[in-house]
């Protein structure tokens, strides 16, 4: 660790050790703490600040939720040749994902398409880490999940939808995959919290206050509701995610976790759906899908446009070489949390 002014520099192993220690001290068994700490470390590594160490206090709050199951052991169900279900038992989603991953991947490679439904999970993380788990295996992947109903539909005045992220990944031979991961809200909830902490105004069109009026004040937005990106288009996409990652897999929409939370303000409990495709099977050898996709990517980049996740990959390289920098106030907040010896 190095300290300079209002910044603290940590190695990635230090980030992981701090995160795991805090999670274990909060009562999370190592089998749940390790994947959660790993994803927090990956978020910090890629300079996705709202999904790095910033999340630790909220994780502790979630672990202390009366309905969070610290002793949860995921139960994997081999449902059909293309469908796998896993019950997270109201623990975190990440251990459930890891438990189901081998069967989920095997089915994609056997059938060409594979669907994974994660039920009864608490979810706090970005989706790109799990997408990258699949692209690393040569699979094309999609992931979707609802959240709390913090987001007003287009034309509405109060929350009905979640931030409802959707992520997609396409493997690329010999280089980083094409990955996007974004909330269907105009901004992520965690980023509004960061604006509040920094005293920064929001952009117009991101949120409304408790009375349904447009606001650029982050605190008023947290009390009111966020807005979807792209007006009615983002609202429709968000609704699709509600249905696919909720009722389709017999789990909750974003309205129901608010009742389930009962005012604790923990991470939302709900479900998640992932879909994996094997391009080797679906392509059938008729054409070179790598050459075709690389031509598309090159055409985008050659005209000065940027592929999504490039910023993350650049940040990853910096972090691997030099460690990560976090604000001193965040470091002090995290280090004030109880830690395992």
């Amino acid at each position: 660790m190095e300290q300079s002014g209002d910044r603290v520099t940590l190695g990635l192993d230090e980030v992981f050790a701090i995160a795991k220690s805090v999670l274990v001290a909060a009562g999370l068994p190592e089998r749940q703490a390790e994947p959660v700490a790993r994803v927090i470390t990956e978020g910090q590594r890629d300079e996705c600040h709202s999904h790095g160490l910033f999340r630790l206090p909220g994780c502790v709050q979630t672990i202390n939720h009366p309905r969070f199951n610290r002793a949860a052991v995921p139960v994997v169900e081999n449902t059909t040749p293309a469908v796998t279900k896993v019950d997270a038992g109201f623990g975190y989603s990440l251990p459930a994902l890891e438990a189901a991953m081998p069967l989920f991947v095997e089915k994609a490679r056997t059938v060409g398409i594979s669907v994974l439904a994660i039920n009864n999970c608490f979810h706090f993380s970005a989706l790109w880490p799990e997408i990258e788990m699949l692209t690393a295996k040569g699979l094309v992947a999609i992931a979707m999940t609802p959240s709390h109903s913090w987001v007003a539909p287009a034309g509405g005045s109060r929350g009905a939808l979640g931030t409802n992220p959707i992520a997609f990944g396409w493997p690329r031979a010999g280089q980083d995959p094409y990955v996007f991961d974004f909330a269907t809200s105009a901004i992520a909830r965690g980023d509004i919290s960061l604006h509040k902490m920094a005293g920064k105004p929001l952009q117009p069109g991101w949120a409304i206050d408790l009375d349904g009026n447009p606001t650029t004040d982050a605190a008023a937005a947290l009390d009111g509701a966020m807005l979807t990106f792209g007006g009615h288009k983002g609202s429709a996409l968000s609704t699709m995610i509600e249905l696919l990652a909720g009722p389709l897999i017999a789990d909750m929409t974003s309205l129901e976790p608010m009742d389930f939370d009962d005012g604790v303000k923990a991470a939302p409990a709900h479900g998640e759906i992932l879909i994996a495709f094997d391009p080797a099977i679906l392509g059938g050898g008729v054409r070179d899908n790598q050459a075709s996709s690389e031509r598309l990517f090159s055409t985008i980049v050659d005209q000065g446009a940027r592929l999504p996740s490039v910023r993350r990959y650049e940040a990853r390289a910096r972090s691997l070489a030099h460690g990560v920098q976090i604000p001193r106030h965040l470091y002090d907040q995290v280090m004030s949390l109880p830690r395992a010896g």
Side-chain angles (χ1 to χ4, degrees):
M1 182 189 75
E2 297 179 7
Q3 302 187 42
S4 177
D6 61 352
R7 311 291 293 180
V8 175
T9 301
L10 299 170
L12 295 178
D13 56 343
E14 293 178 290
V15 174
F16 178 81
I18 290 169
K20 181 180 173 182
S21 178
V22 168
L23 295 167
V24 170
L28 205 60
E30 287 204 5
R31 67 176 179 272
Q32 285 206 55
E34 288 195 355
V36 173
R38 185 163 53 252
V39 166
I40 287 173
T41 303
E42 290 171 352
Q44 199 67 59
R45 177 200 65 194
D46 286 11
E47 296 181 6
C48 296
H49 299 297
S50 63
H51 287 84
L53 287 172
F54 171 77
R55 291 278 170 164
L56 260 185
C59 287
V60 172
Q61 189 175 16
T62 297
I63 294 165
N64 290 323
H65 192 295
R67 292 180 173 175
F68 183 88
N69 183 6
R70 301 180 187 185
V73 177
V75 177
V76 179
E77 175 188 308
N78 186 352
T79 311
T80 75
V83 176
T84 305
K85 300 188 75 173
V86 56
D87 188 338
F90 292 106
Y92 274 120
S93 61
L94 295 166
L97 172 65
E98 291 196 353
M101 184 64 74
L103 185 58
F104 177 43
V105 169
E106 178 188 344
K107 290 182 178 184
R109 289 177 170 163
T110 301
V111 182
I113 184 170
S114 180
V115 179
L116 174 62
I118 305 176
N119 291 111
N120 304 323
C121 66
F122 281 81
H123 192 280
F124 78 96
S125 57
L127 294 175
W128 58 259
E130 51 209 64
I131 289 291
E132 287 192 19
M133 291 171 65
L134 293 163
T135 56
K137 299 179 185 297
L139 300 175
V140 176
I142 298 173
M144 292 172 278
T145 182
S147 62
H148 284 316
S149 54
W150 288 314
V151 182
S157 59
R158 65 182 185 275
L161 305 168
T163 53
N164 295 4
I166 180 169
F168 170 82
W170 179 275
R172 302 177 69 190
Q175 54 189 314
D176 293 318
Y178 174 92
V179 175
F180 69 71
D181 176 6
F182 55 77
T184 48
S185 54
I187 184 174
R189 179 82 171 180
D191 287 328
I192 291 186
S193 296
L194 288 175
H195 276 70
K196 179 182 176 182
M197 289 172 60
K200 292 172 55 179
L202 305 176
Q203 290 187 21
W206 282 2
I208 55 178
D209 63 19
L210 197 58
D211 297 319
N213 300 312
T215 185
T216 58
D217 181 82
L222 291 172
D223 290 335
M226 302 153 69
L227 298 173
T228 60
F229 76 84
H232 68 281
K233 295 181 180 179
S235 187
L237 182 60
S238 183
T239 303
M240 179 197 77
I241 294 167
E242 292 280 352
L243 297 172
L244 292 179
L248 178 67
I249 61 171
D251 219 304
M252 295 186 277
T253 68
S254 296
L255 288 168
E256 294 158 297
M258 296 290 278
D259 298 330
F260 184 89
D261 184 71
D262 199 25
V264 175
K265 297 184 178 180
H270 47 63
E272 178 181 355
I273 189 168
L274 298 96
I275 309 168
F277 309 87
D278 188 343
I281 293 178
L282 289 166
V286 175
R287 60 183 299 171
D288 187 338
N289 51 41
Q290 278 290 322
S292 181
S293 61
E294 288 305 316
R295 181 185 178 191
L296 172 62
F297 297 144
S298 294
T299 302
I300 292 170
V301 172
D302 289 348
Q303 56 188 291
R306 190 184 71 178
L307 298 178
S309 289
V310 168
R311 184 203 62 79
R312 278 199 309 105
Y313 298 143
E314 292 171 347
R316 183 179 302 181
R318 286 194 300 271
S319 299
L320 290 171
H322 307 295
V324 299
Q325 287 194 347
I326 64 171
R328 181 179 296 276
H329 67 81
L330 175 59
Y331 176 77
D332 291 341
Q333 181 187 17
V334 168
M335 296 306 287
S336 70
L337 298 170
R339 287 176 290 151

